[in-house]
Amino acid sequence: FDDLNEVGIGWKVASTLWSGDKSLGYLICDNLISGRAQKPYERELISLLGSTFGHLIERLEAEQALHETTLSLHEMVNAGNTGLWEWNLITNEVQYSAVWKRLIGYEEHEFEDKHENFLANVHPEDLPRLEEAITIAIAEKLKNTAVEFRLRHEDGTYRWIMAQGSVYTDDDGNPIRLL
């Protein structure tokens, strides 16, 4: 039966696609072609599929929203001509954005993402002050700290840089990243 109208011999099961306590739709399965009796596990299986599909839909929607937010953030950063960097204090890996590299005259592939590479391009007179500022920021877990120094441009000249950063910690309060 479908809405009290006989449509064939067999069975039909509907399961709600749940996302938390929100219904996203329904999963409907039937066996009207072969007309065999429903097996005991089939109703539970359809219910599990409905729940699984609901979670998958929720995840896809969340991934889409994250993707759109990331694109928007990327566009804002590019519009502001702001160079971004991230330093993983655990692995010592660093990433410099394409804008950051472009501000000192490099194409993205021309400046290797290594902290040592960055330090090698800091003006020798500014290096001790910069290293001290970094050490203090990490030790005190500072947010929104700033330091000015000269950094060698690709053309060999030095340019004044205003670097701003924030230290991020793990759940135990240990510094893990500097952005």
Side-chain angles (χ1 to χ4, degrees):
F1 290 89
D2 191 3
D3 291 329
L4 303 178
N5 297 313
E6 188 174 329
V7 294
I9 299 172
W11 52 267
K12 177 177 170 182
V13 176
S15 176
T16 306
L17 301 176
W18 290 106
S19 173
D21 59 353
K22 176 182 163 191
S23 171
L24 302 175
Y26 298 94
L27 173 66
I28 301 173
C29 299
D30 66 44
N31 181 24
L32 299 178
I33 295 175
S34 68
R36 70 166 172 75
Q38 186 180 43
K39 296 187 178 176
Y41 63 86
E42 289 175 326
R43 183 174 301 191
E44 183 179 351
L45 179 61
I46 300 227
S47 175
L48 289 171
L49 284 172
S51 176
T52 301
F53 290 161
H55 291 302
L56 289 173
I57 291 168
E58 179 183 36
R59 181 180 174 133
L60 288 172
E61 288 173 346
E63 286 176 357
Q64 180 64 30
L66 178 61
H67 178 71
E68 290 171 9
T69 299
T70 301
L71 285 177
S72 178
L73 179 60
H74 182 72
E75 290 170 8
M76 286 187 280
V77 167
N78 283 337
N81 203 31
T82 303
L84 301 178
W85 51 273
E86 176 181 5
W87 182 16
N88 182 323
L89 301 173
I90 306 302
T91 64
N92 202 34
E93 294 174 333
V94 66
Q95 291 181 315
Y96 303 106
S97 70
V99 173
W100 187 95
K101 293 175 183 182
R102 192 171 61 245
L103 289 171
I104 58 170
Y106 291 94
E107 294 298 320
E108 191 166 3
H109 66 279
E110 294 177 324
F111 192 93
E112 191 175 7
D113 289 347
K114 291 194 178 283
H115 186 62
E116 297 77 21
N117 190 27
F118 162 73
L119 292 177
N121 284 286
V122 173
H123 193 285
E125 293 176 8
D126 299 338
L127 188 57
R129 186 172 41 82
L130 175 62
E131 289 179 325
E132 180 183 14
I134 291 170
T135 300
I136 290 169
I138 293 169
E140 297 181 11
K141 303 168 193 163
L142 298 179
K143 301 283 186 193
N144 301 319
T145 188
V147 61
E148 289 185 39
F149 57 92
R150 289 167 287 181
L151 192 62
R152 187 176 25 245
H153 189 274
E154 186 273 338
D155 66 10
T157 63
Y158 283 93
R159 309 286 172 96
W160 281 101
I161 301 291
M162 164 67 86
Q164 295 176 286
S166 292
V167 175
Y168 290 85
T169 59
D170 61 17
D171 292 339
D172 296 325
N174 301 311
I176 56 171
R177 292 187 311 155
L178 185 57
L179 301 176

